[in-house]
Every structure is written in structure tokens, then in C-alpha cells.
Amino acid sequence: MKAARSESGASATIWDVAKRAGVSAMTVSRVVNGSAGVSEKKREKVVRAIDELNYQVNVAARAARIGTLRVGLLYGNPSAAFLSAFLVGALSECGRQGAHLLLEHCDTLQGQRQAIDRLIENGADAILVPPPLCDAPAAIRQLSELGIPTVAVATARPSHGMSAVRIDDYEGATMLTNYLLSQGHTDIGFVKGDPEHTPAQLRYQAFIDAMRAAGHVVPAERVAQGMFTYRSGLRAARELLSQPTRPTAIFACNDDMAAAVVAVAHGLHLRVPDDIAICGFDDTPVATTVWPELTTIRQPITEMACSAVALLIEHIRLQRTGHAHTPQHRLMPYTLVVRESTGAAG
Amino acid sequence: MKAARSESGASATIWDVAKRAGVSAMTVSRVVNGSAGVSEKKREKVVRAIDELNYQVNVAARAARIGTLRVGLLYGNPSAAFLSAFLVGALSECGRQGAHLLLEHCDTLQGQRQAIDRLIENGADAILVPPPLCDAPAAIRQLSELGIPTVAVATARPSHGMSAVRIDDYEGATMLTNYLLSQGHTDIGFVKGDPEHTPAQLRYQAFIDAMRAAGHVVPAERVAQGMFTYRSGLRAARELLSQPTRPTAIFACNDDMAAAVVAVAHGLHLRVPDDIAICGFDDTPVATTVWPELTTIRQPITEMACSAVALLIEHIRLQRTGHAHTPQHRLMPYTLVVRESTGAAG
DNA sequence: CTGAAAGCGCTTACAG
DNA sequence: CTGAAAGCGCTTACAG
């Protein structure tokens, strides 16, 4: 085991690095933590030694010294699939960094304020805000007034004063629409998401714009309102598919609703994708549970949560060492995932 | 924050306890770790002091001393929903205990052996085996030959020499069948799961037995083979529902397949639950994604993963302090969750 | 059975 | 700008 550990290169200590670089452990620590007050010459030596020895800080030892960081997670009512993916990312990054995750649920508007207070009482050093709370102005305002490090995740319109991790929903939806157009679809239906969610707004706008750019006007009867739930998707799908003429494709604003569209289409004895192509958004597990599997835009939810936790921890450490911190806006890559639910128009 | 921390009682150290109990820190450590060689009298004093001060070991400090424990997770190809729920539990318990989780995927039979080797090479101190690998004899044999602490999760027939965490699938399926019978259903169809999985076997056997006990013979045409996937559920559902007469209820061996049965039923313009009642098993997120939401047996996957990690870590610590260790078999509680997809027979 | 000492790898003051 | 010292809370040998 010891052999394995040193093979994987995780066994060098701060002293090993110091010796190799010809400096004190303190200097290494300063370099590792990005503290000011190290000459460029020594910094370089240290950086080289770290690289050669493949040094990584021992987070357990650090935590023993500075105390365990607590990251609060304020979660509202997203889909179970989204929350799972998010938790996996947040928990794994917290584990890697030796931090703890504090969970706090809240539904209502007053609930938000109380949940934030509870998180602070329980010693949260920073707060993670996934949807839908990242789009709740009251919660965002309270958090920035408190001055506690905060990162909003997957909001399409991040506030300037707060760090955020997101994808470009507009671009993603544009790509998906253009893909459908490239498959020969010109008559495309759209299932909107919860109007309170900024990503839902941008995805819809992108769809309309891309259609117009291709010379197609989207008639009102091709658009149905959904709320991101499977159930709302069923209703929207019935609405779209009970028109005198049917679209050849439907773009649903998330995977849950796309799965519902598939179910309704099958109920009407339509073949997917031959009679109707269907696509979703997010690439949550439901996209590969239903059959045919869904073409969708993959939003890297797990990686976004990892990234958000990393930002938060960096923010805390900068703050503790008295450094300035400016909000970071991280844009993550999205991917078009083509599966069986779309194809050339019939 | 300091105030908050001491309020929540997390600030007492081993020295505080030692002082209060009138012993040395070493003695407290021994009591906390269950080491032998402490007089009953002192042990009692220490236990009382721990209780009064609400002492909890600082896992970061412990990890700094004994090294970070690495828990390996060997995952095959279960449903994404199952894996997410499992990961959330495993990661959160690892976080709580200051351990790291090492993920290793494997599909094929040779893949198993290589994946296990890789885990060991990367310094895994113990291994977690969820389905379907917990039912793969070759993998189980290799692990017990290696003598590395291992816990199988959610296998219905755990091997004697290895720790396991599971629910009683037979009892759970019996309860679900009896619930359907109590609702007036006597003609019930069944969608079997992957025959390689022991829980699938027991759930089916329990169904047959409970029906027989109620005086009902299950005809062969009421049973269809599935593989735990949504797609296999579609095929099985079409088979069951294309018979000259239809059952009034269908029991699917997991939620993914039950969701597929719902989709097929709707395709045939059957109302759920009025024309046909449908139930699943596991209570994964898909059970509350589809509409109507599924009646199911809740298997506490997240808690089972927590429990398994805790067992594993206890095992490692006993092993390191030279204590004997006997495999533990933990039976977790299951619950019947009644939702809209079942009701009184039409 | 029991404890004083040393140390895990890191960081916080404190001197230069 | 730089480092020697002390300490985070715990545990591993080592003496009694």
C-alpha cells in the first residue's frame, strides 16, 4: 500500500519539496496557498520542485490545522435527477478538499430566509445555490448582503456581484435547433419550461431566433407551456399533438418533459423518430432511461457542482488570508448528444 | 462561527474529555476506538464524559495521523438512478469519516478482475460492491481470496464470509403483492427482472408464493421476462397487455420497468389505475417522475450505501488494531409507498 | 492496565 | 522577503 501510494505520487510532503527547492517549508506553504511575499526566484524553484515530486497538499493535515470547511447547499425543488447529479459533484469535490457539505432544503419564500439563517448558524463558511434558488432575487440579495462566499449554479443570468458556474443556454439551444433544421425539420414544436427559470427563458428565445434566422416563423400553436415536470410535459404534448396538423419535431425544454412527449406520441401510435422527432435538454438519467433514448444537450451538472465547490473553497481561503476576491463567472462546455429520438424528417 | 461550532457541540477535544474523566488522552483514544486494555471503571468514566461534552472525534486530525482511508467502489451497469442514489450515500459517509472514494467501472467478466487489481494498485483499503457485481461469483471469490475488507450491497443472497447490507426482497415483494390483493386484484401480471440478479429471483418467488397463499394460481401468460431496463419493460408490457383478457394489475420488478408499463398502458388508452393498476420496486427518482406516480417498495439505497461505508471503515480499523472481525449482515427496513398508480380494482 | 513523549503534515503567529 | 518554533487533535510506539 505504501508502495502504491508513492507510485501514485501522493506521498511527497511539504518538507520534501522544501528540501529539494532549498527553502523552508513555510515558503512552500506560501507558494501553494498563493500568498504574497515570496521572491520570484524562490517561487520558481518551489514550483519546479512541486512539479518534479508531484506534490499534492495533504488536505487532512491542512484541515487538522485550519479546521474543516463547511459548504452549505441550499436546494429547492429541482428534479430528483438533477439533484442527484449535482450532489455527486458537490460531495466528491468536498471530499477531495476535505470539506463538509451541509444540506438545507427550502420551498417557500420565507423558507429561503430561514434556511439561509440555519446554514449560517450551523457554521457554513460558504454557500452553493443551484436552481431554482439561483433565480430567486430575494435569496440572492440576502446572501450578498451577508457577504458570505456564494456561487450560483446553472442560472442563465448570473448577477454581477456573485460568482457563477453555468453553460450558455442560449448557444446550446441554438445548436439543438440548428441540428433539427439540418435534419430537414422546418415545422418544430416547443415545450417551454418554468417561466421563472432564466435558462427556460433563454432556451426559448434561442429557439425562436434560430428558426427565424432560417426563415421560419413559429406559429403560436406550436408552443406549449410546461413547468419542467414530466406531468406538465404530458399536458403540453397533448396540446401540441392534437392540432389539425402535427409538427415533425418537438423540442422540449428539459429531458423530463421530452420523456413525456415520447409517451404521448406512443399513445397516439406515432413512431419516434419516424413520425415525430423529439429532443430534450440537460442529459439527465431519464434521457437514457426512456426508449428511444433522447437526443439532448448535455449540461455537465456534476462537473459544474465540482467547479462551484472549488470556487467557493478558493474564495474562503483568499478571504482568510486577507486577499481581495472578485466574483468569477465560469462558462462550462455543453455538448449536443444525438441519440435515437431524432432523425431525418419523414 | 466559533460560537456556532461550540453550540453544535463539535468543539470538545480529546483533552477536554480526558480532563473531565480524570484520565489521559490515550485512554480516551482507546475507548473511542474500542481497543482492549481499559478497565471497566475508567471506560465508564470516559463514556460519561464523552456524552456530557458531546465529544466527536475530529476525523481530519485522525486522518492526518493514520492516513486517509480509501474506499474503492466497483460499479457495473445498474440504472443511472440507482447509481446516483448509491453514490450520494457513499460519498456523504466517506466525507463524514474523512475517507476518499475511488471509482472503478467494469462491464465484462475479465473487466472485473482488472478493475479489482486497479483499485488495489491505487491504494484501496476496502471495497464496496453494489449490484450487479455483488451477484457475480467470480468477483466475490477474488475479493475474499484477497482478504480485503468488502461489503456487498443489495444482493439478496449474501455469501457467509462477506459483510452485506440489503433489504429482505422476499418480504418486500410479499407485502406489495398482499397490498394488491387487499385492493381486490386477483388477476395480476408480473414483469420479471434480470435472472442473474438475486433480488429479481426472490421478488418473483415471493409474488408466486403470496398469490398461491391467497388461493390464486398465476398462469404462465401473466408472467413476462424483463431485464430491469425501461426498454425491456416496454416489450414485457406489450406481451402482457396483448393477451385476450387483461390482468387488472401489473407488478414490475423495478421502477424503470413499471414506468414502461405505464407508457404502454397509456398507448392502449387504458387509464391508470382505473383500468389497470401498476406498481414498481425500489422507489428511485423515476417513480415520481412519471405520471401517475408509482406505488412501489422503497429500498433505502442511499442509507444502505452509508451503512456499507461505515461497516467497511469499522472493519479496516479493527483490522489495523489487530482485532478479529466477523462479517456483518445488515438488514435495512423497506417501506410500501402507495401512490396514484394503484387503486381499487375496476 | 495506563500515560508521557513524539510525530502525522500542515499553518499561524512571531522574529529577523 | 524568509524561516524556526509551536501547535491543530489525534495516534503510534514506548515505558512503566
Side-chain angles (χ1 to χ4, degrees), chain B residues 7-287:
Chain B
E7 268 166 35
S8 69
S11 64
T13 76
I14 199 169
W15 287 102
D16 299 330
V17 176
K19 220 165 292 169
R20 183 162 196 124
V23 301
S24 71
M26 246 343 281
T27 300
V28 176
S29 175
R30 279 192 262 260
V31 171
V32 168
N33 293 302
S35 307
V38 178
S39 67
E40 198 44 48
K41 207 170 160 184
K42 294 217 170 183
R43 179 181 302 278
E44 265 170 30
K45 276 187 189 166
V46 171
V47 168
R48 197 171 323 125
I50 286 176
D51 202 58
E52 288 167 357
L53 295 171
N54 207 304
Y55 168 72
Q56 282 168 263
V57 290
N58 178 326
V59 293
R62 174 188 281 168
R65 197 66 192 66
I66 70 174
T68 300
L69 261 34
R70 288 162 171 71
V71 173
L73 170 56
L74 210 54
Y75 68 101
N77 223 352
S79 84
F82 187 97
L83 185 61
S84 300
F86 191 88
L87 273 176
V88 167
L91 284 166
S92 85
E93 185 65 20
C94 279
R96 194 180 358 262
Q97 307 249 11
H100 280 179
L101 196 66
L102 265 45
L103 300 180
E104 199 65 64
H105 177 88
C106 67
D107 272 328
T108 62
L109 266 166
Q110 315 107 290
Q112 287 171 23
R113 175 165 285 279
Q114 289 167 7
I116 292 172
D117 291 343
R118 244 171 296 144
L119 238 27
I120 307 268
E121 265 169 37
N122 290 324
D125 300 296
I127 297 190
L128 209 53
V129 195
L133 258 69
C134 54
D135 284 330
I140 298 302
R141 203 175 321 116
Q142 188 187 353
L143 287 166
S144 52
E145 278 166 11
L146 283 167
I148 189 169
T150 305
V151 177
V153 186
T155 175
R157 288 209 193 80
S159 91
H160 274 292
M162 180 172 288
S163 291
V165 177
R166 62 186 182 97
I167 62 164
D168 189 320
D169 286 280
Y170 188 90
E171 272 187 15
T174 302
M175 179 184 255
L176 189 50
T177 308
N178 285 336
Y179 163 73
L180 289 173
L181 289 164
S182 77
Q183 295 293 303
H185 297 284
T186 55
D187 186 0
I188 308 177
F190 191 90
V191 181
K192 295 166 93 172
D194 184 338
E196 300 283 318
H197 289 38
T198 52
Q201 298 160 8
L202 286 198
R203 290 172 194 176
Y204 176 62
Q205 193 57 52
F207 167 71
I208 295 293
D209 292 351
M211 290 295 280
R212 179 172 308 144
H216 306 293
V217 177
V218 180
E221 69 270 19
R222 287 295 185 242
V223 179
Q225 182 69 53
M227 292 297 285
F228 279 142
T229 64
Y230 183 92
R231 188 168 186 171
S232 72
L234 289 177
R235 205 168 29 71
R238 285 194 204 103
E239 204 177 310
L240 292 176
L241 294 175
S242 63
Q243 299 294 322
T245 67
R246 273 194 301 262
T248 64
I250 291 183
F251 176 163
C253 222
N254 77 350
D255 293 335
D256 287 43
M257 298 194 296
V261 178
V262 170
V264 170
H266 281 151
L268 296 170
H269 299 290
L270 298 172
R271 289 163 305 159
V272 179
D274 295 336
D275 297 327
I276 187 149
I278 296 166
C279 62
F281 210 103
D282 286 346
D283 200 23
T284 50
V286 71

